[in-house]
Amino acid sequence: YACEADRGRASEAYRDLTTLRQFAQSGASSTLFDALWTPLFLGVLFLVHPLLGTIGALSALLMLGLGLAGDRLTEGPQARSAAALARSHGWFGIAVANLHVIRAMGMLDGVRRLIGQAAQDARNEQDVVQRRHETIMLISKPARALAQVLIMGAAAWLVLEQSRSAAIIFATSMLFGRALGPIEGAVAGWKALAIALSAYRRLDGIMSAATTVANGKTLH
C-alpha cells in the first residue's frame, strides 16, 4: 500500500508540474504581470483629472470584483469535478490492473458503470463551472463598455464645460484602455491562476513532507 501511495503521489506531482509549466507558457501569466502596470496608468488618470481617475479606479475595482466572484462561484464545482475525475481515473487503473479477476467474478459491468458514473459526475460539475464562468464574462463585457462610455463622457464634459484641451479625450481613452486591458485579461485567466496556485500548494506540501522524511532519516 505504501508503494501504491508513493506512486500515486508521484503521478499527482507530475500532473501538478505539468499544470505549472502550461500556466507559465500561457498568455494568462504574462497578462497577470501586465496588470502590475494598472496602478501607474490609474495614477496618471488622477493627474489628468481626479474625476477621470475616480471613474478609472472604480471600474478597475469592479472588474477585479467580478474576477473574485467568478473564482468563488466556480471553486466548489471545479474541486468536485477534479475529485470525480480522479476517482474515475483511479478506478480505471485498478480495473485494468485486475481485469482478469474482475471478469472472473462477473463484476465487469458494475465496474464499468462505476467508472462511467464518476466520469459523468466530473463532466456535470465542469458544465456548471463553464456556465458560471460564461455568466461572469457576460456581465463583465457590458460593465466594461459602460465604464468606457462613462469615462469618455466625463472627458467630453471637461472639454465642454471647463474648457480643457480636446487632447484630454485622447489621453483618457489611451490611459483607460491601458489600465483596464490587463485586468480584463486577468479576469479571463483567473481560473487558470487558481488552478496553478492549487498545483503549487500541493507540490509545496509534497516537497515539505519529503524534506521532513529526509531530515528524519539523516538524524537516525
Side-chain angles (χ1 to χ4, degrees), residues 81 84 116 118-128:
S81 175
Q120 184 61 46
D121 291 341
R123 286 192 294 270
N124 292 339
E125 294 293 343
Q126 194 60 43
D127 288 341
V128 174

Side-chain angles (χ1 to χ4, degrees), residues 35-77:
L36 297 176
W37 291 96
T38 294
L40 174 62
F41 292 115
L42 291 177
V44 177
L45 266 180
F46 272 106
L47 292 177
V48 174
H49 196 276
L51 175 62
L52 301 178
T54 300
I55 295 175
L58 290 176
S59 300
L61 290 175
L62 175 61
M63 300 302 294
L64 284 175
L66 288 173
L68 288 171
D71 182 57
R72 293 294 184 185
L73 289 173
T74 58
E75 183 178 9

Side-chain angles (χ1 to χ4, degrees), residues 160-182:
L160 295 174
E161 297 295 329
Q162 299 190 10
S163 301
R164 297 298 182 97
S165 171
I168 196 175
I169 298 177
F170 172 76
T172 298
S173 177
M174 183 186 68
L175 292 170
F176 187 73
R178 293 285 187 177
L180 258 67

Side-chain angles (χ1 to χ4, degrees), residues 108-216:
L108 192 59
D109 290 338
V111 171
R112 185 187 299 116
R113 286 194 298 271
L114 193 65
I115 295 172
Q117 184 60 51
Q120 184 61 46
D121 291 341
R123 286 192 294 270
N124 292 339
E125 294 293 343
Q126 194 60 43
D127 288 341
V128 174
V129 171
Q130 186 65 28
R131 286 195 299 271
R132 293 182 179 180
H133 178 71
E134 290 174 354
T135 300
I136 292 296
M137 295 306 296
L138 286 174
I139 296 172
S140 65
K141 289 180 179 180
R144 170 67 167 82
L146 178 60
Q148 182 75 35
V149 171
L150 286 175
I151 199 165
M152 295 306 296
W157 177 80
L158 290 173
V159 172
L160 295 174
E161 297 295 329
Q162 299 190 10
S163 301
R164 297 298 182 97
S165 171
I168 196 175
I169 298 177
F170 172 76
T172 298
S173 177
M174 183 186 68
L175 292 170
F176 187 73
R178 293 285 187 177
L180 258 67
I183 295 180
E184 289 179 309
V187 169
W190 201 280
K191 182 51 61 179
L193 174 62
I195 293 173
L197 287 175
S198 297
Y200 174 78
R201 293 190 191 100
R202 288 192 296 269
L203 284 172
D204 184 62
I206 291 173
M207 295 302 295
S208 297
T211 301
T212 302
V213 172
N215 290 338

